[in-house]
Coordinates of all heavy atoms in Angstrom, one line a residue:
M24 N -85.6 -6.9 -34.3 CA -84.1 -6.6 -34.1 C -83.3 -7.5 -35.0 O -83.5 -8.7 -35.0 CB -83.8 -6.8 -32.6 CG -84.5 -5.8 -31.8 SD -83.6 -4.2 -31.5 CE -82.9 -4.7 -29.9
E25 N -82.3 -7.0 -35.6 CA -81.4 -7.8 -36.5 C -80.0 -7.7 -35.9 O -79.6 -6.8 -35.2 CB -81.3 -7.2 -37.9 CG -82.6 -7.2 -38.7 CD -82.4 -6.5 -40.0 OE1 -81.5 -7.0 -40.7 OE2 -83.1 -5.5 -40.2
F26 N -79.2 -8.7 -36.3 CA -77.8 -8.7 -36.0 C -77.1 -8.0 -37.1 O -77.2 -8.4 -38.2 CB -77.3 -10.2 -35.9 CG -76.0 -10.4 -35.2 CD1 -75.8 -9.9 -34.0 CD2 -75.0 -11.1 -35.8 CE1 -74.6 -10.1 -33.3 CE2 -73.8 -11.3 -35.2 CZ -73.6 -10.8 -34.0
K27 N -76.5 -6.9 -36.7 CA -75.9 -6.1 -37.8 C -74.4 -5.7 -37.5 O -73.9 -5.8 -36.5 CB -76.7 -4.7 -37.8 CG -78.1 -4.8 -38.4 CD -78.4 -3.4 -38.7 CE -79.8 -3.2 -39.1 NZ -80.1 -1.7 -39.2
K28 N -73.8 -5.3 -38.6 CA -72.4 -4.8 -38.5 C -72.5 -3.2 -38.6 O -73.1 -2.6 -39.5 CB -71.6 -5.3 -39.7 CG -70.2 -5.1 -39.5 CD -69.4 -5.7 -40.7 CE -67.8 -5.4 -40.5 NZ -67.1 -5.9 -41.6
C29 N -71.9 -2.7 -37.6 CA -71.9 -1.2 -37.4 C -71.2 -0.6 -38.7 O -70.1 -0.9 -39.1 CB -71.1 -0.7 -36.2 SG -70.9 1.0 -36.0
E30 N -71.9 0.4 -39.3 CA -71.4 1.1 -40.5 C -70.2 2.0 -40.2 O -69.6 2.5 -41.0 CB -72.5 1.8 -41.2 CG -73.6 0.9 -41.8 CD -74.7 1.7 -42.5 OE1 -74.6 2.9 -42.6 OE2 -75.6 1.0 -43.0
R31 N -70.1 2.3 -38.9 CA -69.0 3.3 -38.5 C -67.7 2.6 -38.0 O -66.7 3.0 -38.4 CB -69.6 4.2 -37.4 CG -68.6 5.3 -37.1 CD -69.3 6.4 -36.3 NE -68.3 7.4 -36.0 CZ -68.4 8.7 -36.1 NH1 -69.4 9.2 -36.7 NH2 -67.4 9.4 -35.8
C32 N -67.9 1.7 -37.1 CA -66.7 1.1 -36.5 C -66.5 -0.4 -36.9 O -65.5 -1.0 -36.7 CB -66.7 1.2 -35.0 SG -67.9 0.1 -34.1
G33 N -67.6 -1.0 -37.5 CA -67.5 -2.4 -38.0 C -67.8 -3.5 -36.9 O -67.6 -4.6 -37.2
C34 N -68.1 -3.0 -35.7 CA -68.4 -4.1 -34.7 C -69.8 -4.6 -34.9 O -70.6 -4.0 -35.6 CB -68.3 -3.5 -33.3 SG -69.7 -2.5 -32.8
F35 N -70.1 -5.8 -34.3 CA -71.4 -6.4 -34.5 C -72.3 -6.0 -33.4 O -71.8 -5.9 -32.2 CB -71.2 -7.9 -34.7 CG -70.7 -8.3 -36.0 CD1 -69.3 -8.6 -36.1 CD2 -71.5 -8.4 -37.1 CE1 -68.8 -8.9 -37.3 CE2 -71.0 -8.7 -38.3 CZ -69.6 -9.0 -38.4
F36 N -73.6 -5.7 -33.6 CA -74.4 -5.4 -32.6 C -75.9 -5.7 -33.0 O -76.2 -6.1 -34.1 CB -74.3 -3.8 -32.4 CG -74.8 -3.0 -33.5 CD1 -76.0 -2.3 -33.5 CD2 -74.1 -2.9 -34.7 CE1 -76.5 -1.5 -34.5 CE2 -74.5 -2.2 -35.8 CZ -75.7 -1.5 -35.7
T37 N -76.8 -5.6 -32.0 CA -78.2 -5.9 -32.3 C -79.0 -4.6 -32.0 O -79.1 -4.1 -30.9 CB -78.7 -7.0 -31.3 OG1 -77.7 -7.9 -31.0 CG2 -79.9 -7.7 -31.9
S38 N -79.6 -4.1 -33.1 CA -80.4 -2.9 -33.0 C -81.1 -2.6 -34.3 O -80.7 -3.3 -35.3 CB -79.4 -1.7 -32.7 OG -80.1 -0.5 -33.0
N39 N -82.0 -1.7 -34.4 CA -82.6 -1.3 -35.7 C -81.8 -0.1 -36.3 O -82.2 0.3 -37.4 CB -84.0 -0.9 -35.4 CG -84.9 -2.2 -35.1 OD1 -84.7 -3.2 -35.7 ND2 -85.7 -2.1 -34.1
D40 N -80.8 0.4 -35.6 CA -80.0 1.5 -36.1 C -79.0 1.0 -37.1 O -78.7 -0.2 -37.3 CB -79.4 2.3 -35.0 CG -80.4 2.9 -34.1 OD1 -81.3 3.5 -34.6 OD2 -80.2 2.7 -32.8
N41 N -78.3 2.0 -37.8 CA -77.3 1.6 -38.8 C -75.9 1.5 -38.1 O -75.0 0.9 -38.7 CB -77.2 2.7 -39.9 CG -78.4 2.8 -40.7 OD1 -78.9 1.8 -41.3 ND2 -79.1 4.0 -40.7
V42 N -75.8 2.1 -37.0 CA -74.5 2.1 -36.2 C -74.8 1.5 -34.8 O -75.9 1.6 -34.3 CB -73.8 3.4 -36.2 CG1 -73.4 3.9 -37.5 CG2 -74.7 4.5 -35.6
C43 N -73.7 1.1 -34.2 CA -73.8 0.5 -32.8 C -74.1 1.7 -31.8 O -74.0 2.8 -32.1 CB -72.6 -0.2 -32.4 SG -71.1 0.8 -32.2
Y44 N -74.4 1.3 -30.5 CA -74.8 2.2 -29.6 C -73.6 3.3 -29.3 O -73.9 4.4 -29.2 CB -75.1 1.5 -28.2 CG -75.5 2.4 -27.1 CD1 -76.8 3.0 -27.2 CD2 -74.6 2.8 -26.1 CE1 -77.2 3.9 -26.2 CE2 -75.0 3.6 -25.1 CZ -76.3 4.2 -25.2 OH -76.7 5.1 -24.2
N45 N -72.4 2.8 -29.3 CA -71.3 3.7 -29.1 C -71.1 4.8 -30.2 O -70.8 5.9 -29.9 CB -69.9 3.0 -29.0 CG -69.8 2.2 -27.7 OD1 -70.3 2.7 -26.7 ND2 -69.0 1.1 -27.8
C46 N -71.4 4.4 -31.4 CA -71.2 5.2 -32.5 C -72.4 6.2 -32.7 O -72.3 7.2 -33.4 CB -71.0 4.4 -33.8 SG -69.4 3.6 -33.7
L47 N -73.5 5.8 -32.2 CA -74.8 6.5 -32.3 C -74.6 8.0 -31.8 O -75.0 8.9 -32.5 CB -75.9 5.8 -31.6 CG -77.3 6.1 -32.1 CD1 -77.5 5.8 -33.5 CD2 -78.4 5.4 -31.2
T48 N -74.0 8.1 -30.7 CA -73.7 9.4 -30.1 C -72.8 10.2 -31.0 O -73.1 11.4 -31.2 CB -73.0 9.2 -28.7 OG1 -73.6 8.1 -28.0 CG2 -73.2 10.5 -27.9
K49 N -71.8 9.6 -31.5 CA -70.8 10.3 -32.3 C -71.5 10.7 -33.7 O -71.3 11.8 -34.2 CB -69.6 9.4 -32.7 CG -68.7 9.1 -31.5 CD -67.6 8.1 -32.0 CE -67.0 7.4 -30.8 NZ -66.1 6.3 -31.2
D50 N -72.3 9.8 -34.2 CA -73.1 10.1 -35.4 C -74.0 11.3 -35.2 O -74.1 12.2 -36.1 CB -73.9 8.8 -35.8 CG -73.3 8.1 -37.0 OD1 -72.1 8.2 -37.1 OD2 -74.0 7.4 -37.7
K51 N -74.7 11.2 -34.1 CA -75.7 12.3 -33.9 C -75.0 13.7 -33.7 O -75.5 14.7 -34.2 CB -76.5 12.1 -32.6 CG -77.7 11.1 -32.8 CD -78.5 10.9 -31.6 CE -79.6 9.9 -32.0 NZ -80.2 9.3 -30.7
F52 N -73.8 13.6 -33.1 CA -73.0 14.8 -32.9 C -72.6 15.4 -34.3 O -72.7 16.5 -34.5 CB -71.9 14.6 -32.0 CG -70.9 15.8 -31.9 CD1 -71.3 16.8 -31.1 CD2 -69.7 15.7 -32.5 CE1 -70.4 17.9 -30.9 CE2 -68.8 16.8 -32.4 CZ -69.2 17.9 -31.6
E53 N -72.0 14.5 -35.1 CA -71.6 14.9 -36.4 C -72.6 15.3 -37.3 O -72.5 16.2 -38.1 CB -70.6 13.8 -37.0 CG -69.4 13.6 -36.3 CD -68.4 12.7 -37.0 OE1 -68.7 12.0 -37.9 OE2 -67.2 12.7 -36.5
M54 N -73.8 14.7 -37.3 CA -74.9 15.0 -38.2 C -75.4 16.4 -37.8 O -75.7 17.2 -38.7 CB -76.1 14.0 -38.0 CG -75.9 12.7 -38.7 SD -77.3 11.7 -38.5 CE -76.7 10.1 -39.1
S55 N -75.4 16.8 -36.5 CA -75.9 18.2 -36.2 C -74.9 19.1 -36.5 O -75.2 20.2 -37.0 CB -76.3 18.2 -34.7 OG -75.2 18.0 -33.9
K56 N -73.6 18.8 -36.4 CA -72.5 19.6 -36.8 C -72.6 19.9 -38.3 O -72.4 21.0 -38.7 CB -71.2 18.9 -36.5 CG -69.9 19.7 -36.5 CD -68.8 18.9 -35.8 CE -67.5 19.3 -36.4 NZ -66.4 18.3 -35.9
F57 N -72.8 18.9 -39.0 CA -72.9 18.9 -40.5 C -74.1 19.9 -40.9 O -74.0 20.7 -41.7 CB -73.2 17.5 -41.0 CG -73.2 17.4 -42.5 CD1 -72.7 18.4 -43.3 CD2 -73.8 16.3 -43.1 CE1 -72.8 18.3 -44.7 CE2 -73.8 16.1 -44.5 CZ -73.3 17.1 -45.3
K58 N -75.3 19.6 -40.2 CA -76.5 20.5 -40.5 C -76.2 21.9 -40.2 O -76.6 22.8 -40.9 CB -77.7 20.0 -39.8 CG -78.3 18.7 -40.4 CD -79.5 18.2 -39.6 CE -80.1 17.0 -40.3 NZ -81.0 16.3 -39.5
N59 N -75.6 22.2 -39.0 CA -75.2 23.6 -38.6 C -74.3 24.2 -39.7 O -74.4 25.4 -40.0 CB -74.5 23.6 -37.3 CG -75.5 23.4 -36.2 OD1 -76.7 23.6 -36.4 ND2 -75.1 23.0 -35.0
F60 N -73.3 23.4 -40.1 CA -72.4 23.9 -41.1 C -73.1 24.4 -42.4 O -72.8 25.5 -42.9 CB -71.3 22.9 -41.5 CG -70.4 23.3 -42.5 CD1 -69.3 24.0 -42.3 CD2 -70.6 22.9 -43.9 CE1 -68.4 24.4 -43.3 CE2 -69.8 23.3 -44.9 CZ -68.7 24.1 -44.6
V61 N -74.0 23.5 -42.8 CA -74.8 23.9 -44.1 C -75.6 25.1 -43.9 O -75.7 25.9 -44.8 CB -75.6 22.6 -44.5 CG1 -76.6 22.9 -45.6 CG2 -74.8 21.4 -44.8
E62 N -76.2 25.2 -42.7 CA -77.0 26.4 -42.4 C -76.2 27.7 -42.4 O -76.6 28.8 -42.8 CB -77.8 26.3 -41.1 CG -79.0 25.4 -41.2 CD -79.5 25.0 -39.8 OE1 -79.2 25.7 -38.9 OE2 -80.3 24.0 -39.8
E63 N -75.0 27.6 -41.9 CA -74.1 28.8 -41.7 C -73.2 29.1 -42.8 O -72.5 30.2 -42.7 CB -73.4 28.6 -40.3 CG -74.3 28.7 -39.1 CD -73.6 28.1 -37.8 OE1 -72.4 27.9 -37.9 OE2 -74.4 27.9 -36.8
N64 N -73.0 28.2 -43.7 CA -72.1 28.5 -44.8 C -72.7 28.4 -46.2 O -73.7 27.8 -46.3 CB -70.9 27.5 -44.7 CG -70.2 27.6 -43.4 OD1 -69.2 28.5 -43.4 ND2 -70.5 26.9 -42.4
N65 N -72.0 29.0 -47.1 CA -72.5 28.9 -48.5 C -72.0 27.6 -49.1 O -70.8 27.5 -49.5 CB -71.9 30.2 -49.3 CG -72.4 30.2 -50.6 OD1 -73.2 29.3 -51.1 ND2 -72.0 31.2 -51.4
I66 N -72.9 26.6 -49.2 CA -72.5 25.3 -49.6 C -72.2 25.2 -51.1 O -71.7 24.3 -51.6 CB -73.4 24.2 -49.1 CG1 -74.9 24.5 -49.5 CG2 -73.3 24.0 -47.6 CD1 -75.8 23.4 -49.3
S67 N -72.6 26.3 -51.8 CA -72.3 26.2 -53.3 C -70.8 26.3 -53.6 O -70.4 26.1 -54.6 CB -73.1 27.3 -54.0 OG -72.8 28.5 -53.5
N68 N -70.1 26.8 -52.5 CA -68.6 26.8 -52.7 C -67.9 25.5 -52.6 O -66.8 25.3 -52.8 CB -68.0 27.8 -51.6 CG -68.4 29.2 -51.9 OD1 -68.6 29.6 -53.0 ND2 -68.4 30.0 -50.8
I69 N -68.8 24.6 -52.0 CA -68.2 23.2 -51.8 C -68.2 22.5 -53.1 O -69.2 22.3 -53.7 CB -69.1 22.4 -50.7 CG1 -69.2 23.2 -49.4 CG2 -68.4 21.1 -50.5 CD1 -68.0 23.2 -48.5
T70 N -67.0 22.0 -53.5 CA -66.9 21.3 -54.8 C -66.6 19.8 -54.7 O -66.9 19.1 -55.7 CB -65.8 22.0 -55.6 OG1 -64.6 21.9 -54.8 CG2 -66.1 23.4 -56.0
S71 N -66.2 19.4 -53.6 CA -66.0 17.9 -53.4 C -66.3 17.4 -52.0 O -66.3 18.2 -51.1 CB -64.6 17.6 -53.8 OG -63.7 18.1 -52.9
L72 N -66.4 16.1 -51.9 CA -66.6 15.5 -50.6 C -65.4 15.8 -49.7 O -65.5 16.0 -48.5 CB -66.9 14.0 -50.8 CG -67.5 13.3 -49.6 CD1 -68.9 13.8 -49.4 CD2 -67.6 11.8 -49.9
N73 N -64.2 15.7 -50.3 CA -63.0 16.0 -49.6 C -63.0 17.4 -49.0 O -62.6 17.6 -47.9 CB -61.8 15.7 -50.5 CG -60.5 15.7 -49.7 OD1 -60.5 15.1 -48.7 ND2 -59.5 16.3 -50.3
D74 N -63.4 18.3 -49.8 CA -63.5 19.7 -49.4 C -64.5 19.9 -48.3 O -64.1 20.5 -47.2 CB -64.0 20.5 -50.6 CG -63.8 22.0 -50.5 OD1 -63.0 22.4 -49.6 OD2 -64.4 22.8 -51.3
L75 N -65.6 19.2 -48.3 CA -66.6 19.3 -47.3 C -66.1 18.6 -46.0 O -66.3 19.1 -44.9 CB -67.8 18.5 -47.8 CG -69.1 18.5 -46.9 CD1 -69.6 20.0 -46.9 CD2 -70.2 17.6 -47.5
S76 N -65.3 17.5 -46.2 CA -64.7 16.9 -45.1 C -63.7 17.8 -44.3 O -63.7 17.9 -43.0 CB -64.0 15.6 -45.6 OG -63.2 15.1 -44.6
I77 N -62.9 18.5 -45.1 CA -61.9 19.4 -44.5 C -62.6 20.5 -43.7 O -62.3 20.8 -42.6 CB -61.0 20.0 -45.5 CG1 -60.1 18.9 -46.1 CG2 -60.1 21.1 -45.0 CD1 -59.4 19.2 -47.4
Q78 N -63.6 21.1 -44.3 CA -64.4 22.2 -43.7 C -65.2 21.9 -42.5 O -65.4 22.7 -41.6 CB -65.2 23.0 -44.8 CG -64.3 23.5 -45.9 CD -65.0 24.7 -46.5 OE1 -65.6 25.6 -45.9 NE2 -64.9 24.8 -47.8
T79 N -65.8 20.7 -42.5 CA -66.6 20.3 -41.4 C -65.9 19.5 -40.3 O -66.3 19.4 -39.2 CB -67.8 19.3 -41.9 OG1 -67.2 18.2 -42.6 CG2 -68.7 20.1 -42.8
G80 N -64.7 19.0 -40.7 CA -63.9 18.2 -39.7 C -64.5 16.8 -39.6 O -64.2 16.0 -38.6
I81 N -65.4 16.4 -40.5 CA -66.1 15.0 -40.4 C -65.4 14.2 -41.6 O -65.2 14.7 -42.7 CB -67.6 15.2 -40.6 CG1 -68.2 16.1 -39.6 CG2 -68.2 13.8 -40.6 CD1 -69.6 16.5 -39.8
S82 N -65.1 13.0 -41.3 CA -64.4 12.2 -42.4 C -65.4 12.0 -43.6 O -66.6 12.0 -43.5 CB -64.0 10.8 -41.8 OG -65.2 10.0 -41.7
S83 N -64.8 12.0 -44.8 CA -65.6 11.9 -46.0 C -66.4 10.5 -46.0 O -67.5 10.5 -46.6 CB -64.7 11.9 -47.3 OG -63.6 11.2 -47.2
K84 N -65.8 9.5 -45.4 CA -66.6 8.3 -45.3 C -67.9 8.4 -44.6 O -68.9 7.9 -44.9 CB -65.7 7.2 -44.6 CG -66.3 5.8 -44.6 CD -65.4 4.9 -43.7 CE -66.1 3.6 -43.5 NZ -65.7 3.0 -42.2
N85 N -67.8 9.2 -43.4 CA -69.0 9.4 -42.7 C -69.9 10.4 -43.4 O -71.2 10.1 -43.4 CB -68.7 10.0 -41.3 CG -68.1 8.8 -40.3 OD1 -68.5 7.7 -40.5 ND2 -67.2 9.2 -39.4
L86 N -69.5 11.4 -44.0 CA -70.3 12.4 -44.8 C -71.0 11.6 -45.9 O -72.2 11.8 -46.0 CB -69.4 13.5 -45.4 CG -68.9 14.5 -44.4 CD1 -67.9 15.4 -45.1 CD2 -70.0 15.4 -43.9
N87 N -70.4 10.8 -46.5 CA -70.9 10.0 -47.6 C -72.1 9.2 -47.1 O -73.1 9.0 -47.7 CB -69.8 9.1 -48.2 CG -70.2 8.7 -49.6 OD1 -70.9 9.4 -50.3 ND2 -69.7 7.6 -50.1
R88 N -71.9 8.6 -45.9 CA -72.9 7.7 -45.3 C -74.1 8.6 -44.9 O -75.2 8.2 -45.2 CB -72.2 7.0 -44.1 CG -73.2 6.0 -43.4 CD -72.4 5.1 -42.5 NE -71.5 5.7 -41.6 CZ -72.0 6.2 -40.4 NH1 -73.2 6.2 -40.1 NH2 -71.1 6.8 -39.6
F89 N -73.8 9.7 -44.3 CA -75.0 10.6 -43.9 C -75.8 11.0 -45.0 O -77.0 11.0 -45.0 CB -74.4 11.8 -43.2 CG -73.7 11.6 -41.9 CD1 -72.8 12.6 -41.4 CD2 -73.8 10.4 -41.2 CE1 -72.1 12.4 -40.2 CE2 -73.2 10.2 -39.9 CZ -72.3 11.2 -39.5
L90 N -75.1 11.4 -46.1 CA -75.8 11.9 -47.3 C -76.7 10.7 -48.0 O -77.6 11.1 -48.8 CB -74.8 12.4 -48.3 CG -74.1 13.7 -47.9 CD1 -73.0 14.1 -48.9 CD2 -75.1 14.9 -47.9
G91 N -76.4 9.5 -47.6 CA -77.2 8.4 -48.2 C -78.5 8.2 -47.4 O -79.3 7.5 -47.8
Y92 N -78.6 8.8 -46.2 CA -79.7 8.7 -45.4 C -80.9 9.6 -45.8 O -80.6 10.7 -46.3 CB -79.4 9.0 -43.8 CG -78.5 8.0 -43.3 CD1 -77.7 8.3 -42.1 CD2 -78.3 6.7 -43.7 CE1 -76.8 7.4 -41.5 CE2 -77.4 5.8 -43.2 CZ -76.7 6.2 -42.0 OH -75.8 5.3 -41.4
D93 N -82.1 9.2 -45.6 CA -83.3 10.0 -45.9 C -83.3 11.3 -45.3 O -83.7 12.3 -46.0 CB -84.6 9.2 -45.4 CG -84.9 8.0 -46.3 OD1 -84.2 7.9 -47.3 OD2 -85.7 7.2 -45.9
D94 N -82.8 11.5 -44.1 CA -82.6 12.7 -43.4 C -81.9 13.8 -44.2 O -82.1 15.0 -44.1 CB -81.8 12.5 -42.1 CG -82.7 12.7 -40.9 OD1 -83.9 12.5 -41.1 OD2 -82.2 13.0 -39.8
F95 N -80.9 13.3 -45.0 CA -80.1 14.2 -45.7 C -80.3 14.3 -47.2 O -79.5 14.8 -48.0 CB -78.6 13.8 -45.4 CG -78.1 14.1 -44.0 CD1 -78.3 13.2 -43.0 CD2 -77.6 15.4 -43.8 CE1 -77.9 13.5 -41.7 CE2 -77.1 15.7 -42.5 CZ -77.3 14.8 -41.4
N96 N -81.4 13.7 -47.6 CA -81.8 13.6 -49.0 C -81.8 14.9 -49.7 O -81.1 15.1 -50.7 CB -83.1 13.0 -49.1 CG -83.2 11.9 -50.2 OD1 -82.4 12.1 -51.2 ND2 -84.1 11.0 -50.1
E97 N -82.5 15.9 -49.1 CA -82.6 17.2 -49.6 C -81.3 17.9 -49.7 O -80.9 18.5 -50.7 CB -83.6 18.0 -48.7 CG -84.2 19.2 -49.4 CD -85.1 19.9 -48.5 OE1 -85.9 19.2 -47.8 OE2 -85.1 21.1 -48.4
L98 N -80.6 17.7 -48.6 CA -79.2 18.4 -48.5 C -78.3 17.8 -49.5 O -77.5 18.5 -50.2 CB -78.7 18.0 -47.1 CG -77.9 19.1 -46.4 CD1 -77.9 18.8 -44.9 CD2 -76.5 19.2 -46.9
A99 N -78.3 16.5 -49.8 CA -77.4 15.9 -50.7 C -77.7 16.4 -52.1 O -76.8 16.7 -52.9 CB -77.7 14.4 -50.7
N100 N -78.9 16.7 -52.4 CA -79.3 17.3 -53.7 C -78.8 18.8 -53.8 O -78.3 19.2 -54.9 CB -80.8 17.4 -53.9 CG -81.3 16.0 -54.1 OD1 -80.6 15.0 -54.6 ND2 -82.6 15.8 -53.8
Q101 N -78.8 19.5 -52.7 CA -78.3 20.9 -52.7 C -76.8 20.9 -52.9 O -76.3 21.8 -53.6 CB -78.6 21.5 -51.3 CG -80.0 22.0 -51.1 CD -80.1 22.6 -49.8 OE1 -79.3 23.4 -49.3 NE2 -81.1 22.1 -49.0
I102 N -76.1 20.1 -52.2 CA -74.7 20.1 -52.3 C -74.2 19.6 -53.7 O -73.2 20.2 -54.2 CB -74.1 19.2 -51.2 CG1 -74.4 19.8 -49.8 CG2 -72.5 19.2 -51.3 CD1 -73.9 19.0 -48.6
N103 N -74.9 18.7 -54.3 CA -74.6 18.3 -55.6 C -73.1 17.9 -55.8 O -72.4 18.5 -56.6 CB -75.0 19.4 -56.6 CG -75.1 18.9 -58.0 OD1 -75.3 17.7 -58.2 ND2 -74.9 19.8 -59.0
L104 N -72.7 17.0 -54.9 CA -71.3 16.5 -55.0 C -71.1 15.5 -56.1 O -72.0 14.8 -56.5 CB -70.9 15.9 -53.7 CG -70.8 16.9 -52.5 CD1 -70.6 16.1 -51.3 CD2 -69.7 17.9 -52.7
K105 N -69.9 15.4 -56.6 CA -69.4 14.3 -57.5 C -70.0 14.4 -58.9 O -71.1 14.8 -59.2 CB -69.6 13.0 -56.9 CG -70.0 11.8 -57.8 CD -69.6 10.5 -57.1 CE -70.8 10.1 -56.2 NZ -70.6 9.3 -55.1
Ligands
ZN1 ZN1 -69.9 1.3 -34.0

């Protein structure tokens, strides 16, 4: 266990996760929302992170962070942003 700074809210916490306990719930919710969105929509129409943010209702900062995770590796390649 390391002492870490939450990537979402900036608070300090002790865990092996990237975000604190409070944010973990929010992250999980948004990640599944994001995955559902990708499954249900034609993502080739998405041209920017901002566009994706507007359509999913998830902040571009969080989307950018999700796309950097291994879980979203394949998805990040599909979306081909930036
Ligand atoms: Zn947090």
Side-chain angles (χ1 to χ4, degrees):
M24 296 267 264
E25 298 173 57
F26 197 51
K27 287 195 188 172
K28 192 176 179 188
C29 174
E30 291 182 3
R31 185 166 174 131
C32 75
C34 77
F35 289 97
F36 67 106
T37 326
S38 164
N39 290 319
D40 296 312
N41 297 304
V42 295
C43 72
Y44 182 75
N45 284 334
C46 294
L47 201 60
T48 319
K49 294 177 197 166
D50 256 23
K51 279 184 179 160
F52 176 74
E53 288 189 352
M54 282 182 192
S55 63
K56 195 168 150 189
F57 185 20
K58 283 179 178 169
N59 285 340
F60 175 84
V61 172
E62 280 169 20
E63 292 164 12
N64 296 273
N65 184 1
I66 52 169
S67 58
N68 289 334
I69 306 282
T70 52
S71 69
L72 197 62
N73 192 41
D74 195 16
L75 188 64
S76 169
I77 292 164
Q78 297 209 40
T79 55
I81 303 167
S82 77
S83 49
K84 187 186 168 209
N85 285 328
L86 284 171
N87 202 29
R88 185 161 52 82
F89 296 161
L90 290 170
Y92 292 160
D93 287 348
D94 249 24
F95 288 88
N96 222 333
E97 201 181 317
L98 219 159
N100 292 334
Q101 280 179 49
I102 297 178
N103 199 20
L104 292 172
K105 147 159 81 205

